[in-house]
Amino acid sequence: MIMNILDIILEKRYGRELSDEQIAFFVKGVTDGSIPDYQISPLLMAIVLNGMSEREMTTLTLEMAKSGEVNDLSYLEGVPVDKHSTGGVGDKITPLLLPLLATYGIQSVKLSGRGLGYTGGTVDKFESIEGFNCQIAKKDFPELIKKTGMVISGQTPDLAPADKILYSLRDVTGTVDSIPLIASSIMSKKIAGGAKALVLDVTCGFGAFMKEESRARELSAAMIRIGEGAGIKTRAVITEMDQPLGNRIGNTLEMQEVYDTLCGKGQKDVEAVVIELAFQLVRLAGKGMDLDDSELRVDLLNRLTDGRALEEYRKLISSQGGVIDDDGSPRYVDYPFDTMHVNAIEDGYITNVRANLIGRASCTLGAGRFEKRDKIDFGAGIILGAKKGDKVKRGDVLCALCKGEKADLPDDRLYAAYDLASKAFEISPNPPKESDPIIAVLPKKPFGVK
Ligand code: URA
């Protein structure tokens, strides 16, 4: 049967299921440019409004994964593992996770993105280290793996190109927030990336795509189904993203926090998230089998903080051209300069530090991009002086706003950032309910239970 895109748009507009052939036709037309944006966009909107069945979602994902090259990671020793975060503020997990996994001999190729909007990107964070090269050609991956067991690289243009086209259209057509579209976008890149075991960090709260736990669970379940269907052992960890993760937000600032964490001076929430994600991947990779679950968690924390992961981290940085100073810490392109403080205007307990506002404030200082062509100030960002549950007195520093030592920051940007950051802190006479950075791990069945 001859297909045409108008019929496909109408099918979805009337809430009917698309056939596998229709979805394949759509993805091919997106990739080769034969379907114009003005016809892609209404189909995306119809999917947002009418949803997709499990079968449609899986087909869409697999077709998107096949729209470019699928990586062959057979040169890795053991199970190729991967992780993905649905995005957050202060999320510095990847630079901690890879070296921690390396201490167990788990090798990983991590393809990461740049930040856009108020959530930071791992590539930008690594590029705050002087000399660090994130644009690694695929042919050079095996050599780096041989040296350190790790590669961190920007996504290559041939990785799920259909997603690149769809995502940039979704960004400007109000069609980002849709579980079938988010799940297929993320999972197409993971399948094309070549992973066989995957942990998804599904963030939930003010600073995340998923504001409610029920939506985070729905997205997790959809991605797990797609992953398992594609032969990838998949786990999802739902993590809290009401307030930023850790206490530093910005590129150099976050990499400094990574270094501190690896030196045993980290924040508890960062440690908790790294340990949980690493726990899932170590188990999926079949390592640490001589330890029971609680012993493995203790072992992970020890390796993270006693210098073993730090040694692997330094190897990773050097292997990709990054400069390590004589004191053993990375050298940064620019360093944060503390320019203004937000102070508490009353006594009380911090009941929230809204991650979305802190993320926007940090971007306004220059740490992120509002548009693709914006240049980043690597030294810009925010240091939190107080987090949820802390008791503060009037006048205490809630956060410090930083710009790079080498960068210019116009006054209007500094004041706009101050305004956003000061609105982020909620203070109450009563302490908030204690919360765990790990909300849930899915699927529920523990390891080893059939
Ligand atoms: N991250 C992605 O890669 N895709 C989405 O659609 C949302 C978050």
Side-chain angles (χ1 to χ4, degrees):
M1 198 176 78
I2 297 183
M3 299 235 176
N4 86 69
I5 183 67
L6 183 57
D7 288 343
I8 299 176
I9 297 169
L10 288 171
E11 284 287 292
K12 203 25 97 181
R13 182 209 175 297
Y14 290 116
R16 290 194 279 266
E17 269 197 52
L18 302 180
S19 68
D20 290 347
E21 292 73 25
Q22 286 174 315
I23 294 171
F25 175 85
F26 170 64
V27 174
K28 185 173 173 301
V30 167
T31 313
D32 66 19
S34 60
I35 302 178
D37 290 358
Y38 62 78
Q39 287 184 309
I40 300 173
S41 303
L43 182 53
L44 290 173
M45 186 57 85
I47 294 172
V48 171
L49 297 176
N50 290 327
M52 275 188 145
S53 67
E54 266 179 44
R55 179 194 55 75
E56 286 176 294
M57 236 187 279
T58 301
T59 305
L60 177 62
T61 310
L62 296 178
E63 290 298 331
M64 281 160 69
K66 282 193 314 203
S67 68
E69 264 188 49
V70 177
N71 286 343
D72 174 7
L73 298 180
S74 54
Y75 55 85
L76 295 185
E77 280 168 22
V79 180
V81 300
D82 200 356
K83 76 73 89 150
H84 184 87
S85 161
T86 55
V89 177
D91 177 354
K92 63 247 341 145
I93 297 301
T94 295
L96 292 164
L97 185 66
L98 264 53
L100 178 56
L101 294 176
T103 69
Y104 291 87
I106 298 174
Q107 301 186 331
S108 43
V109 169
K110 180 80 183 82
L111 303 177
S112 290
R114 290 183 191 279
L116 185 63
Y118 64 73
T119 60
T122 300
V123 166
D124 295 324
K125 290 173 201 184
F126 272 100
E127 284 182 352
S128 71
I129 297 172
E130 185 82 53
F132 194 91
N133 176 20
C134 263
Q135 298 314 313
I136 309 287
K138 242 200 259 179
K139 66 172 179 38
D140 297 330
F141 288 1
E143 190 57 36
L144 285 168
I145 287 290
K146 227 185 275 168
K147 271 194 201 155
T148 67
M150 296 166 269
V151 183
I152 173 98
S153 178
Q155 280 161 10
T156 48
D158 60 14
L159 188 89
D163 176 61
K164 230 160 265 141
I165 299 165
L166 290 177
Y167 194 84
S168 55
L169 262 181
R170 287 168 57 209
D171 211 22
V172 293
T173 55
T175 52
V176 169
D177 188 10
S178 146
I179 285 179
L181 294 179
I182 297 176
S184 57
S185 164
I186 293 173
M187 294 307 292
S188 64
K189 287 174 287 204
K190 296 293 121 183
I191 294 168
K196 291 287 170 264
L198 172 66
V199 67
L200 299 159
D201 178 358
V202 180
T203 50
C204 175
F206 289 120
F209 273 119
M210 301 293 121
K211 311 286 180 222
E212 298 110 32
E213 191 184 323
S214 58
R215 294 262 297 158
R217 283 181 181 271
E218 210 185 313
L219 177 63
S220 303
M223 293 195 290
I224 291 169
R225 273 196 307 265
I226 294 170
E228 295 282 338
I232 301 176
K233 292 187 256 175
T234 309
R235 300 285 179 270
V237 180
I238 301 179
T239 60
E240 200 226 63
M241 189 42 72
D242 270 342
Q243 64 174 348
L245 192 62
N247 65 358
R248 289 176 172 233
I249 300 97
N251 296 287
T252 300
L253 282 161
E254 289 185 39
M255 294 310 266
Q256 287 176 326
E257 189 172 350
V258 164
Y259 188 76
D260 286 350
T261 306
L262 295 171
C263 291
K265 293 180 284 183
Q267 301 293 306
K268 291 285 166 251
D269 57 346
V270 175
E271 287 177 355
V273 175
V274 180
I275 299 301
E276 190 55 49
L277 298 182
F279 173 83
Q280 299 299 329
L281 286 178
V282 170
R283 284 291 189 236
L284 289 176
K287 302 276 182 176
M289 299 313 270
D290 51 330
L291 305 173
D292 70 23
D293 288 357
S294 55
E295 287 168 341
L296 177 56
R297 286 197 163 85
V298 171
D299 190 54
L300 281 160
L301 184 61
N302 288 340
R303 287 166 188 250
L304 181 70
T305 55
D306 68 7
R308 279 178 282 179
L310 178 60
E311 202 177 310
E312 301 300 327
Y313 179 65
R314 290 196 184 112
K315 283 188 212 161
L316 169 66
I317 290 173
S318 304
S319 73
Q320 296 196 208
V323 180
I324 305 273
D325 273 329
D326 292 342
D327 67 358
S329 68
R331 184 181 304 163
Y332 300 100
V333 174
D334 200 358
Y335 287 79
F337 178 79
D338 178 347
T339 47
M340 194 182 263
H341 291 169
V342 172
N343 299 90
I345 51 169
E346 57 188 325
D347 295 358
Y349 291 92
I350 304 285
T351 51
N352 207 357
V353 183
R354 284 185 179 242
N356 52 337
L357 294 176
I358 293 291
R360 280 171 57 201
S362 174
C363 259
T364 305
L365 290 164
R369 299 180 186 83
F370 289 102
E371 287 184 44
K372 258 197 186 132
R373 58 174 178 270
D374 289 347
K375 264 195 90 168
I376 277 189
D377 168 4
F378 286 110
I382 293 180
I383 302 172
L384 299 179
K387 289 195 62 169
K388 203 181 325 192
D390 289 347
K391 198 171 177 184
V392 293
K393 282 203 162 339
R394 184 186 157 91
D396 282 355
V397 175
L398 298 180
C399 72
L401 310 183
C402 302
K403 69 171 206 66
E405 283 175 351
K406 298 178 192 164
D408 288 325
L409 176 67
D411 282 351
D412 59 340
R413 294 266 296 267
L414 177 60
Y415 291 119
Y418 176 86
D419 198 38
L420 286 163
S422 50
K423 288 191 181 110
F425 290 87
E426 293 169 5
I427 300 179
S428 148
N430 304 313
K433 231 175 59 202
E434 267 192 44
S435 60
D436 192 330
I438 310 297
I439 297 173
V441 179
L442 300 172
K444 256 194 177 155
K445 237 175 7 181
F447 286 96
V449 175
K450 292 259 158 37

